[in-house]
Amino acid sequence: MADARIHMEKAVMVLLLIGFAVFLPACGTLKEEKERMQAMAAVGEANAVKYIREKYGFEPEVVQAKACTVRDAGFKLQTTGSVDVWMAHGQQEFRVHISGEEEGKEGLDDYQYGLIKAEAKAYFSGLLGYEIYDLYLEYRDRQIAGDRYSDEQEENMLNGLYQEGGFGDFMEQHPVYCRIDDCLGQDLTGFAMANPDAAAYLEEAANHYGLRAVLISYKSQEDYGRGYAHTYGRSGLTDFGIEQDSFYIQSYAVFEEEGVKYRRFETQELDGIFFCCVDKGNGDGILAKSGKVTWQELGKTKKDPVSEIYSVAKEEAGEITVYIPEGLFWEVWKGGAVYIQHYGNGRWWQYEPNIAYTKDKKYIFFTYHNVKGGGFDFAVFPCIIFHWVSIQAVYPLG
């Protein structure tokens, strides 16, 4: 036993020595890379100071400079040759993106973003003819052929100087994405008829200048405040995920190169539960009812449901979002497990949807992706073990 222990100790020592032999060169490599990044940051910082001084005519305060990195195919960090420099002038902070490999004064910055956004809001207010409540604005310095929103483009940063009062010209020279919110409860499906000049201009800008815009009309300021995220469509996906706020939105319109969309949401209430989806304008709307269907025995659920079995019919494809009052869910249904069932591809399917809270915590909600149309059923079943939704009670989403 003693000999075996000695052999084991020797083996461990050999492994440790091999590890040190591998680790020490790695430490040297990391140290060298760190020194290289520090040198790049110093070059970038000096370049950024000269760039701002020449472009805007003031002396900036340097807050921080950091070499930009990306991960290669082996997940190893590699420097890009560029440096991000955070700077300040008076009360305003901004960022400069510039070379850290050689001296130069060619760079990008977001110093004028606040001015551009304020002028964009005034511009769109005049164009649309109604009060804008909130505006999200995103733009790029240049347009890359075939990929307007490539990761290679720095967001909201310009090389050139923005001319005050020139947002209309700016929009024709730069790819712009914007989300324009109002709280007027408008039916934007009639926007083209009510404001044909604005609709035609936005369509033309989408087709020729790279504009991607979504106009959203919330039912009220209170409903806007209850909105789950307000970040639908970042990175060019203009209405992606908007159905999560369909309870609070009256309608919306999308303008992009792929086409124009006008959508209005419809809502049906049953037992205090709200069912929301896009109103296509053709055929029957959403139809929710209870107590008329049978829950299939597929081995997914245990015992009888603690709720009614709700059946939601919608012949047209499209997302359907269900809002369940927090009190009903926790006090009456005891925070059970929500299950969906639907029929497709010749068989029945059952599963738990992703559940989240509304921002004001008054409802839990889930979205059914009604890809092929036809609708679904749902019910709440007794929860035997600690359930995912219970975590949401402590750490609610949104």
Side-chain angles (χ1 to χ4, degrees):
M1 289 293 291
D3 289 340
R5 186 176 68 250
I6 291 171
H7 285 306
M8 179 66 71
E9 290 174 350
K10 286 182 177 179
V12 171
M13 185 62 69
V14 170
L15 290 174
L16 287 173
L17 290 172
I18 293 173
F20 281 126
V22 172
F23 180 71
L24 288 175
C27 286
T29 302
L30 290 173
K31 182 180 178 182
E32 292 170 2
E33 184 65 14
K34 184 177 180 180
E35 290 174 348
R36 179 171 177 270
M37 291 175 68
Q38 289 174 341
M40 289 181 62
V43 172
E45 180 179 322
N47 286 342
V49 170
K50 294 175 185 176
Y51 164 80
I52 291 296
R53 186 189 297 147
E54 182 171 302
K55 183 173 181 179
Y56 297 111
F58 62 78
E59 194 70 21
E61 174 191 348
V62 177
V63 178
Q64 181 187 12
K66 185 178 180 182
C68 299
T69 58
V70 294
R71 293 194 181 274
D72 61 18
F75 298 99
K76 182 180 178 182
L77 283 176
Q78 299 283 350
T79 55
T80 65
S82 298
V83 173
D84 278 334
V85 185
W86 286 265
M87 315 186 92
H89 178 59
Q91 299 299 313
Q92 182 175 347
E93 294 187 356
F94 58 97
R95 180 169 65 101
V96 174
H97 185 77
I98 204 162
S99 174
E101 293 184 320
E102 57 185 9
E103 291 187 16
K105 293 182 289 186
E106 284 295 315
L108 301 166
D109 70 275
D110 61 1
Y111 177 72
Q112 293 183 291
Y113 178 77
L115 169 64
I116 296 171
K117 183 177 179 179
E119 294 206 347
K121 189 172 182 179
Y123 179 87
F124 284 119
S125 293
L127 177 70
L128 300 174
Y130 59 77
E131 180 183 0
I132 293 174
Y133 185 75
D134 193 18
L135 171 73
Y136 173 82
L137 179 71
E138 186 179 302
Y139 53 80
R140 301 295 189 274
D141 183 63
R142 57 195 174 92
Q143 184 164 314
I144 295 178
D147 191 357
R148 290 196 299 268
Y149 286 80
S150 166
D151 290 339
E152 297 174 19
Q153 301 175 79
E154 290 296 317
E155 180 181 315
N156 301 332
M157 304 190 81
L158 297 177
N159 173 262
L161 187 67
Y162 174 76
Q163 300 298 323
E164 260 185 88
F167 184 78
D169 293 334
F170 176 84
M171 194 165 65
E172 295 180 7
Q173 297 164 7
H174 301 82
V176 169
Y177 163 65
C178 56
R179 191 196 74 237
I180 303 170
D181 302 327
D182 74 75
C183 299
L184 304 174
Q186 300 185 84
D187 181 358
L188 291 173
T189 59
F191 177 73
M193 182 175 295
N195 198 338
D197 292 340
Y201 176 75
L202 291 174
E203 188 171 352
E204 179 185 5
N207 288 330
H208 300 291
Y209 308 134
L211 173 71
R212 298 174 77 89
V214 56
L215 316 181
I216 305 176
S217 188
Y218 287 81
K219 295 176 181 178
S220 66
Q221 288 187 21
E222 291 74 20
D223 284 307
Y224 182 87
R226 298 181 183 110
Y228 183 66
H230 302 300
T231 53
Y232 340 105
R234 288 196 179 189
S235 301
L237 300 172
T238 46
D239 59 343
F240 181 78
I242 196 171
E243 67 280 347
Q244 65 190 3
D245 274 350
S246 52
F247 190 28
Y248 309 114
I249 295 173
Q250 186 72 29
S251 63
Y252 69 97
V254 175
F255 297 86
E256 54 190 349
E257 188 177 19
E258 293 78 8
V260 178
K261 291 188 291 186
Y262 295 100
R263 299 287 186 266
R264 177 181 58 230
F265 285 114
E266 67 168 293
T267 300
Q268 182 182 340
E269 184 268 338
L270 177 63
D271 296 342
I273 303 169
F274 293 90
F275 304 83
C276 305
C277 70
V278 166
D279 176 12
K280 299 288 185 180
N282 295 313
D284 295 330
I286 189 171
L287 176 61
K289 55 186 179 181
S290 62
K292 304 294 183 181
V293 297
T294 301
W295 193 262
Q296 303 297 314
E297 295 294 339
L298 304 181
K300 297 287 186 180
T301 54
K302 307 297 182 183
K303 299 186 177 181
D304 294 327
V306 295
S307 72
E308 294 279 357
I309 300 173
Y310 293 91
S311 178
V312 186
K314 180 71 173 176
E315 292 306 317
E316 298 91 348
E319 286 73 19
I320 301 171
T321 302
V322 179
Y323 295 83
I324 303 172
E326 184 266 350
L328 175 64
F329 182 74
W330 287 107
E331 296 172 18
V332 180
W333 296 342
K334 307 304 180 184
V338 179
Y339 272 86
I340 280 177
Q341 73 171 12
H342 71 94
Y343 189 81
N345 297 325
R347 54 168 286 193
W348 282 95
W349 303 81
Q350 289 177 352
Y351 59 90
E352 291 185 78
N354 292 326
I355 302 291
Y357 265 101
T358 56
K359 191 174 181 179
D360 61 7
K361 311 300 184 291
K362 290 185 177 181
Y363 298 89
I364 69 161
F365 70 92
F366 65 87
T367 298
Y368 174 71
H369 299 277
N370 196 35
V371 178
K372 296 183 178 179
F376 66 100
D377 309 319
F378 85 90
V380 180
F381 290 81
C383 188
I384 300 174
I385 60 173
F386 186 69
H387 193 253
W388 186 89
V389 176
S390 299
I391 299 176
Q392 291 296 286
V394 183
Y395 302 106
L397 295 179

